[in-house]
Amino acid sequence: MKISIVTASYNYQDYIKETIQSIIDQTYSDWELIIVDDCSTDNSVNVIKSYTDNRIKLFINKENLGLAQTVKRGIEKATGEWIVFLESDDILTKDYIEKKVKIAHKYQNINLIFNDCEFFGDEKKIHNFTKALKKTRKVLKNKNYPRNMFYNFYLSNKIFTFSSVMAKREDLLKINFEPPIDSLLDWWLWVQMAYIGDFYYIPEMLTKWRLHTDSYIYKSKHFSPKQLQMKIYIEIFKKTSNILILLFIPFAQITWCLQQIKKNIKKSILNKGK
């Protein structure tokens, strides 16, 4: 089984060398690394070109396309049956691909495999993410897999980062790559993938997720995920006419709003206590 790793590159000259090396070091050898550079203005392209491994293929956008279209172009250029997403500042463990290929062979009906992550980088962000994702980790670990997770993604994104996902290319080519919030592209994609097939979760830290203030998500403008949640579920309803989705949306939206109210009250109480 040939595996395609897709990496969107943009001004991460200080990190991308470690990212590429983590692929070269894989115990599984039947792979290609598709790097799409979105008009970097630093030395990223030269760093990538310094590698002579013919499995590494570089494509350079003629103009800045943004994250969504850059990732989509990488998937279109790929030739593997499965796509491993790897951000250009993250690292995969040596057995990442090998372990996921075994799962892909074992369960023919799944279309996405994801895993737990090890955080590294900014200590404050590591502390905050570890605390914030504690509940998600517990919930994921207590489920049986493979499983359908379509209705699990409305309240929050259950997948920590792009770099923890391996997904079927044929299903990725069927879905919409135009999210209302570019920085939440992954969430937008996973909801659509969850409608098509089952997911499998590996509770092992196969991804090293670099947390730093230069990352794309921290430079993006933060908007309420409500813009994403309702829109993608309604889009899928329009395509499928599945009445259960239409019934689910108002219930899920009320639940989400109640969660936000609860969080704001808790935050207010903590602030008053300081």
Side-chain angles (χ1 to χ4, degrees), residues 151-182:
Y151 293 108
N152 297 110
F153 278 84
Y154 195 98
L155 300 179
S156 64
N157 186 357
K158 299 298 185 291
I159 299 176
F160 299 167
T161 175
F162 249 128
S163 301
S164 66
V165 170
M166 185 171 96
K168 271 189 179 176
R169 181 174 179 268
E170 65 175 345
D171 286 349
L172 287 167
L173 292 173
K174 297 174 185 175
I175 63 179
N176 180 308
F177 273 77
E178 297 180 2
I181 307 171
D182 204 41

mmCIF file of all heavy atoms in Angstrom, residues 151-182:
data_model
loop_
_atom_site.group_PDB
_atom_site.id
_atom_site.type_symbol
_atom_site.label_atom_id
_atom_site.label_comp_id
_atom_site.label_asym_id
_atom_site.label_seq_id
_atom_site.Cartn_x
_atom_site.Cartn_y
_atom_site.Cartn_z
ATOM 1 N N TYR A 151 -21.915 12.513 14.299
ATOM 2 C CA TYR A 151 -22.613 13.400 15.228
ATOM 3 C C TYR A 151 -21.750 13.834 16.411
ATOM 4 O O TYR A 151 -22.180 14.630 17.239
ATOM 5 C CB TYR A 151 -23.892 12.721 15.732
ATOM 6 C CG TYR A 151 -24.923 12.541 14.640
ATOM 7 C CD1 TYR A 151 -25.198 11.284 14.113
ATOM 8 C CD2 TYR A 151 -25.608 13.633 14.115
ATOM 9 C CE1 TYR A 151 -26.138 11.119 13.092
ATOM 10 C CE2 TYR A 151 -26.543 13.485 13.101
ATOM 11 C CZ TYR A 151 -26.804 12.225 12.594
ATOM 12 O OH TYR A 151 -27.724 12.072 11.584
ATOM 13 N N ASN A 152 -20.526 13.340 16.484
ATOM 14 C CA ASN A 152 -19.627 13.694 17.584
ATOM 15 C C ASN A 152 -18.849 14.983 17.346
ATOM 16 O O ASN A 152 -18.212 15.503 18.255
ATOM 17 C CB ASN A 152 -18.621 12.561 17.838
ATOM 18 C CG ASN A 152 -19.293 11.281 18.281
ATOM 19 O OD1 ASN A 152 -19.322 10.316 17.530
ATOM 20 N ND2 ASN A 152 -19.856 11.255 19.472
ATOM 21 N N PHE A 153 -18.901 15.487 16.103
ATOM 22 C CA PHE A 153 -18.062 16.635 15.767
ATOM 23 C C PHE A 153 -18.764 17.988 15.831
ATOM 24 O O PHE A 153 -18.156 19.014 15.575
ATOM 25 C CB PHE A 153 -17.451 16.442 14.369
ATOM 26 C CG PHE A 153 -16.234 15.583 14.370
ATOM 27 C CD1 PHE A 153 -16.340 14.205 14.333
ATOM 28 C CD2 PHE A 153 -14.972 16.134 14.428
ATOM 29 C CE1 PHE A 153 -15.230 13.394 14.351
ATOM 30 C CE2 PHE A 153 -13.839 15.340 14.443
ATOM 31 C CZ PHE A 153 -13.960 13.959 14.405
ATOM 32 N N TYR A 154 -20.046 18.010 16.180
ATOM 33 C CA TYR A 154 -20.748 19.289 16.193
ATOM 34 C C TYR A 154 -20.255 20.182 17.331
ATOM 35 O O TYR A 154 -19.992 21.368 17.147
ATOM 36 C CB TYR A 154 -22.265 19.081 16.326
ATOM 37 C CG TYR A 154 -23.056 20.329 15.993
ATOM 38 C CD1 TYR A 154 -23.613 20.495 14.732
ATOM 39 C CD2 TYR A 154 -23.234 21.345 16.925
ATOM 40 C CE1 TYR A 154 -24.319 21.635 14.406
ATOM 41 C CE2 TYR A 154 -23.941 22.498 16.610
ATOM 42 C CZ TYR A 154 -24.484 22.639 15.358
ATOM 43 O OH TYR A 154 -25.181 23.781 15.037
ATOM 44 N N LEU A 155 -20.138 19.616 18.523
ATOM 45 C CA LEU A 155 -19.783 20.414 19.693
ATOM 46 C C LEU A 155 -18.308 20.796 19.721
ATOM 47 O O LEU A 155 -17.944 21.860 20.227
ATOM 48 C CB LEU A 155 -20.158 19.663 20.975
ATOM 49 C CG LEU A 155 -21.647 19.329 21.127
ATOM 50 C CD1 LEU A 155 -21.878 18.575 22.425
ATOM 51 C CD2 LEU A 155 -22.502 20.590 21.105
ATOM 52 N N SER A 156 -17.460 19.944 19.189
ATOM 53 C CA SER A 156 -16.028 20.247 19.167
ATOM 54 C C SER A 156 -15.312 19.305 18.203
ATOM 55 O O SER A 156 -15.812 18.237 17.871
ATOM 56 C CB SER A 156 -15.421 20.105 20.567
ATOM 57 O OG SER A 156 -15.503 18.762 21.012
ATOM 58 N N ASN A 157 -14.120 19.735 17.786
ATOM 59 C CA ASN A 157 -13.283 18.909 16.930
ATOM 60 C C ASN A 157 -12.592 17.866 17.797
ATOM 61 O O ASN A 157 -11.803 18.197 18.673
ATOM 62 C CB ASN A 157 -12.243 19.776 16.220
ATOM 63 C CG ASN A 157 -11.430 19.005 15.206
ATOM 64 O OD1 ASN A 157 -11.590 17.800 15.052
ATOM 65 N ND2 ASN A 157 -10.552 19.703 14.508
ATOM 66 N N LYS A 158 -12.884 16.610 17.578
ATOM 67 C CA LYS A 158 -12.332 15.536 18.396
ATOM 68 C C LYS A 158 -10.922 15.124 17.968
ATOM 69 O O LYS A 158 -10.281 14.305 18.632
ATOM 70 C CB LYS A 158 -13.258 14.310 18.356
ATOM 71 C CG LYS A 158 -14.655 14.569 18.897
ATOM 72 C CD LYS A 158 -14.617 14.978 20.367
ATOM 73 C CE LYS A 158 -16.003 15.121 20.979
ATOM 74 N NZ LYS A 158 -16.756 16.274 20.448
ATOM 75 N N ILE A 159 -10.449 15.661 16.849
ATOM 76 C CA ILE A 159 -9.110 15.330 16.358
ATOM 77 C C ILE A 159 -8.193 16.512 16.639
ATOM 78 O O ILE A 159 -8.437 17.627 16.176
ATOM 79 C CB ILE A 159 -9.145 14.996 14.860
ATOM 80 C CG1 ILE A 159 -10.051 13.771 14.625
ATOM 81 C CG2 ILE A 159 -7.742 14.743 14.326
ATOM 82 C CD1 ILE A 159 -10.235 13.402 13.174
ATOM 83 N N PHE A 160 -7.133 16.285 17.390
ATOM 84 C CA PHE A 160 -6.300 17.369 17.905
ATOM 85 C C PHE A 160 -5.652 18.227 16.822
ATOM 86 O O PHE A 160 -5.656 19.446 16.885
ATOM 87 C CB PHE A 160 -5.197 16.804 18.813
ATOM 88 C CG PHE A 160 -5.716 16.073 20.023
ATOM 89 C CD1 PHE A 160 -4.873 15.295 20.784
ATOM 90 C CD2 PHE A 160 -7.047 16.154 20.403
ATOM 91 C CE1 PHE A 160 -5.332 14.610 21.912
ATOM 92 C CE2 PHE A 160 -7.527 15.471 21.515
ATOM 93 C CZ PHE A 160 -6.659 14.699 22.273
ATOM 94 N N THR A 161 -5.067 17.580 15.829
ATOM 95 C CA THR A 161 -4.315 18.320 14.817
ATOM 96 C C THR A 161 -4.301 17.576 13.482
ATOM 97 O O THR A 161 -4.468 16.351 13.440
ATOM 98 C CB THR A 161 -2.854 18.548 15.273
ATOM 99 O OG1 THR A 161 -2.106 19.176 14.224
ATOM 100 C CG2 THR A 161 -2.173 17.247 15.627
ATOM 101 N N PHE A 162 -4.106 18.303 12.400
ATOM 102 C CA PHE A 162 -3.975 17.713 11.069
ATOM 103 C C PHE A 162 -2.949 16.581 11.065
ATOM 104 O O PHE A 162 -3.139 15.539 10.424
ATOM 105 C CB PHE A 162 -3.484 18.786 10.077
ATOM 106 C CG PHE A 162 -4.516 19.181 9.060
ATOM 107 C CD1 PHE A 162 -4.842 20.514 8.862
ATOM 108 C CD2 PHE A 162 -5.136 18.234 8.276
ATOM 109 C CE1 PHE A 162 -5.788 20.891 7.910
ATOM 110 C CE2 PHE A 162 -6.078 18.595 7.312
ATOM 111 C CZ PHE A 162 -6.397 19.926 7.138
ATOM 112 N N SER A 163 -1.854 16.792 11.775
ATOM 113 C CA SER A 163 -0.730 15.858 11.731
ATOM 114 C C SER A 163 -0.982 14.546 12.458
ATOM 115 O O SER A 163 -0.059 13.743 12.611
ATOM 116 C CB SER A 163 0.526 16.533 12.302
ATOM 117 O OG SER A 163 0.856 17.683 11.567
ATOM 118 N N SER A 164 -2.196 14.330 12.911
ATOM 119 C CA SER A 164 -2.528 13.050 13.552
ATOM 120 C C SER A 164 -3.473 12.218 12.686
ATOM 121 O O SER A 164 -4.016 11.220 13.149
ATOM 122 C CB SER A 164 -3.166 13.295 14.929
ATOM 123 O OG SER A 164 -4.418 13.934 14.797
ATOM 124 N N VAL A 165 -3.652 12.628 11.423
ATOM 125 C CA VAL A 165 -4.661 11.994 10.562
ATOM 126 C C VAL A 165 -4.061 11.306 9.343
ATOM 127 O O VAL A 165 -3.189 11.858 8.663
ATOM 128 C CB VAL A 165 -5.698 13.041 10.094
ATOM 129 C CG1 VAL A 165 -6.597 12.469 9.007
ATOM 130 C CG2 VAL A 165 -6.541 13.524 11.273
ATOM 131 N N MET A 166 -4.561 10.099 9.071
ATOM 132 C CA MET A 166 -4.345 9.416 7.791
ATOM 133 C C MET A 166 -5.728 9.093 7.242
ATOM 134 O O MET A 166 -6.549 8.496 7.941
ATOM 135 C CB MET A 166 -3.528 8.130 7.972
ATOM 136 C CG MET A 166 -3.175 7.462 6.633
ATOM 137 S SD MET A 166 -1.992 6.090 6.778
ATOM 138 C CE MET A 166 -3.138 4.699 6.835
ATOM 139 N N ALA A 167 -6.021 9.526 6.017
ATOM 140 C CA ALA A 167 -7.375 9.395 5.469
ATOM 141 C C ALA A 167 -7.345 8.881 4.033
ATOM 142 O O ALA A 167 -6.358 9.068 3.308
ATOM 143 C CB ALA A 167 -8.086 10.742 5.519
ATOM 144 N N LYS A 168 -8.443 8.249 3.611
ATOM 145 C CA LYS A 168 -8.546 7.709 2.259
ATOM 146 C C LYS A 168 -8.615 8.836 1.230
ATOM 147 O O LYS A 168 -9.459 9.722 1.323
ATOM 148 C CB LYS A 168 -9.790 6.826 2.131
ATOM 149 C CG LYS A 168 -9.560 5.368 2.488
ATOM 150 C CD LYS A 168 -10.760 4.519 2.139
ATOM 151 C CE LYS A 168 -10.487 3.049 2.476
ATOM 152 N NZ LYS A 168 -11.679 2.203 2.233
ATOM 153 N N ARG A 169 -7.753 8.767 0.243
ATOM 154 C CA ARG A 169 -7.683 9.804 -0.776
ATOM 155 C C ARG A 169 -8.981 9.897 -1.580
ATOM 156 O O ARG A 169 -9.468 10.999 -1.872
ATOM 157 C CB ARG A 169 -6.509 9.539 -1.718
ATOM 158 C CG ARG A 169 -6.342 10.594 -2.810
ATOM 159 C CD ARG A 169 -5.076 10.346 -3.616
ATOM 160 N NE ARG A 169 -4.938 11.339 -4.665
ATOM 161 C CZ ARG A 169 -5.394 11.204 -5.907
ATOM 162 N NH1 ARG A 169 -6.044 10.076 -6.249
ATOM 163 N NH2 ARG A 169 -5.236 12.158 -6.801
ATOM 164 N N GLU A 170 -9.573 8.750 -1.952
ATOM 165 C CA GLU A 170 -10.773 8.776 -2.785
ATOM 166 C C GLU A 170 -11.927 9.504 -2.092
ATOM 167 O O GLU A 170 -12.737 10.166 -2.751
ATOM 168 C CB GLU A 170 -11.199 7.367 -3.177
ATOM 169 C CG GLU A 170 -11.633 6.467 -2.036
ATOM 170 C CD GLU A 170 -12.150 5.119 -2.535
ATOM 171 O OE1 GLU A 170 -12.424 5.002 -3.750
ATOM 172 O OE2 GLU A 170 -12.274 4.197 -1.713
ATOM 173 N N ASP A 171 -12.017 9.416 -0.769
ATOM 174 C CA ASP A 171 -13.069 10.125 -0.037
ATOM 175 C C ASP A 171 -12.736 11.607 0.133
ATOM 176 O O ASP A 171 -13.617 12.465 0.088
ATOM 177 C CB ASP A 171 -13.302 9.474 1.327
ATOM 178 C CG ASP A 171 -14.052 8.152 1.208
ATOM 179 O OD1 ASP A 171 -14.561 7.869 0.113
ATOM 180 O OD2 ASP A 171 -14.125 7.414 2.207
ATOM 181 N N LEU A 172 -11.462 11.908 0.310
ATOM 182 C CA LEU A 172 -11.050 13.313 0.423
ATOM 183 C C LEU A 172 -11.364 14.080 -0.863
ATOM 184 O O LEU A 172 -11.689 15.269 -0.833
ATOM 185 C CB LEU A 172 -9.548 13.405 0.724
ATOM 186 C CG LEU A 172 -9.126 13.004 2.139
ATOM 187 C CD1 LEU A 172 -7.612 12.828 2.204
ATOM 188 C CD2 LEU A 172 -9.575 14.061 3.162
ATOM 189 N N LEU A 173 -11.260 13.397 -2.002
ATOM 190 C CA LEU A 173 -11.528 14.046 -3.283
ATOM 191 C C LEU A 173 -13.019 14.308 -3.514
ATOM 192 O O LEU A 173 -13.394 15.041 -4.431
ATOM 193 C CB LEU A 173 -10.982 13.181 -4.428
ATOM 194 C CG LEU A 173 -9.459 13.069 -4.504
ATOM 195 C CD1 LEU A 173 -9.043 12.052 -5.561
ATOM 196 C CD2 LEU A 173 -8.833 14.425 -4.794
ATOM 197 N N LYS A 174 -13.875 13.742 -2.669
ATOM 198 C CA LYS A 174 -15.326 13.919 -2.814
ATOM 199 C C LYS A 174 -15.852 15.127 -2.035
ATOM 200 O O LYS A 174 -16.985 15.549 -2.251
ATOM 201 C CB LYS A 174 -16.055 12.674 -2.295
ATOM 202 C CG LYS A 174 -15.772 11.380 -3.042
ATOM 203 C CD LYS A 174 -16.436 10.216 -2.332
ATOM 204 C CE LYS A 174 -16.083 8.876 -2.967
ATOM 205 N NZ LYS A 174 -16.646 7.729 -2.204
ATOM 206 N N ILE A 175 -15.052 15.674 -1.131
ATOM 207 C CA ILE A 175 -15.598 16.645 -0.175
ATOM 208 C C ILE A 175 -15.230 18.094 -0.498
ATOM 209 O O ILE A 175 -14.362 18.377 -1.323
ATOM 210 C CB ILE A 175 -15.181 16.295 1.270
ATOM 211 C CG1 ILE A 175 -13.660 16.366 1.433
ATOM 212 C CG2 ILE A 175 -15.689 14.903 1.637
ATOM 213 C CD1 ILE A 175 -13.187 16.059 2.844
ATOM 214 N N ASN A 176 -15.890 18.994 0.203
ATOM 215 C CA ASN A 176 -15.772 20.438 0.005
ATOM 216 C C ASN A 176 -14.562 20.998 0.757
ATOM 217 O O ASN A 176 -14.393 20.738 1.946
ATOM 218 C CB ASN A 176 -17.071 21.091 0.500
ATOM 219 C CG ASN A 176 -17.087 22.599 0.345
ATOM 220 O OD1 ASN A 176 -16.183 23.289 0.780
ATOM 221 N ND2 ASN A 176 -18.140 23.111 -0.255
ATOM 222 N N PHE A 177 -13.740 21.776 0.067
ATOM 223 C CA PHE A 177 -12.545 22.372 0.668
ATOM 224 C C PHE A 177 -12.678 23.897 0.797
ATOM 225 O O PHE A 177 -11.686 24.607 0.676
ATOM 226 C CB PHE A 177 -11.308 22.031 -0.161
ATOM 227 C CG PHE A 177 -10.664 20.725 0.214
ATOM 228 C CD1 PHE A 177 -11.221 19.525 -0.184
ATOM 229 C CD2 PHE A 177 -9.507 20.694 0.978
ATOM 230 C CE1 PHE A 177 -10.639 18.315 0.150
ATOM 231 C CE2 PHE A 177 -8.916 19.488 1.327
ATOM 232 C CZ PHE A 177 -9.483 18.293 0.915
ATOM 233 N N GLU A 178 -13.873 24.360 1.063
ATOM 234 C CA GLU A 178 -14.093 25.806 1.191
ATOM 235 C C GLU A 178 -14.742 26.126 2.536
ATOM 236 O O GLU A 178 -15.923 26.472 2.610
ATOM 237 C CB GLU A 178 -14.954 26.303 0.035
ATOM 238 C CG GLU A 178 -14.277 26.113 -1.324
ATOM 239 C CD GLU A 178 -15.137 26.622 -2.471
ATOM 240 O OE1 GLU A 178 -16.235 27.161 -2.205
ATOM 241 O OE2 GLU A 178 -14.716 26.475 -3.627
ATOM 242 N N PRO A 179 -13.980 26.035 3.631
ATOM 243 C CA PRO A 179 -14.527 26.310 4.965
ATOM 244 C C PRO A 179 -14.780 27.798 5.168
ATOM 245 O O PRO A 179 -14.087 28.637 4.574
ATOM 246 C CB PRO A 179 -13.416 25.824 5.898
ATOM 247 C CG PRO A 179 -12.165 26.047 5.103
ATOM 248 C CD PRO A 179 -12.538 25.721 3.684
ATOM 249 N N PRO A 180 -15.761 28.159 6.007
ATOM 250 C CA PRO A 180 -16.010 29.572 6.297
ATOM 251 C C PRO A 180 -14.896 30.194 7.122
ATOM 252 O O PRO A 180 -14.727 31.413 7.142
ATOM 253 C CB PRO A 180 -17.334 29.546 7.072
ATOM 254 C CG PRO A 180 -17.380 28.177 7.676
ATOM 255 C CD PRO A 180 -16.717 27.277 6.677
ATOM 256 N N ILE A 181 -14.113 29.363 7.817
ATOM 257 C CA ILE A 181 -12.972 29.819 8.619
ATOM 258 C C ILE A 181 -11.775 28.981 8.205
ATOM 259 O O ILE A 181 -11.723 27.786 8.483
ATOM 260 C CB ILE A 181 -13.237 29.649 10.130
ATOM 261 C CG1 ILE A 181 -14.559 30.317 10.522
ATOM 262 C CG2 ILE A 181 -12.087 30.218 10.950
ATOM 263 C CD1 ILE A 181 -15.005 30.011 11.939
ATOM 264 N N ASP A 182 -10.804 29.579 7.527
ATOM 265 C CA ASP A 182 -9.694 28.834 6.949
ATOM 266 C C ASP A 182 -8.893 28.075 8.005
ATOM 267 O O ASP A 182 -8.429 26.964 7.761
ATOM 268 C CB ASP A 182 -8.771 29.784 6.179
ATOM 269 C CG ASP A 182 -7.978 29.053 5.102
ATOM 270 O OD1 ASP A 182 -8.563 28.192 4.428
ATOM 271 O OD2 ASP A 182 -6.782 29.339 4.945
#
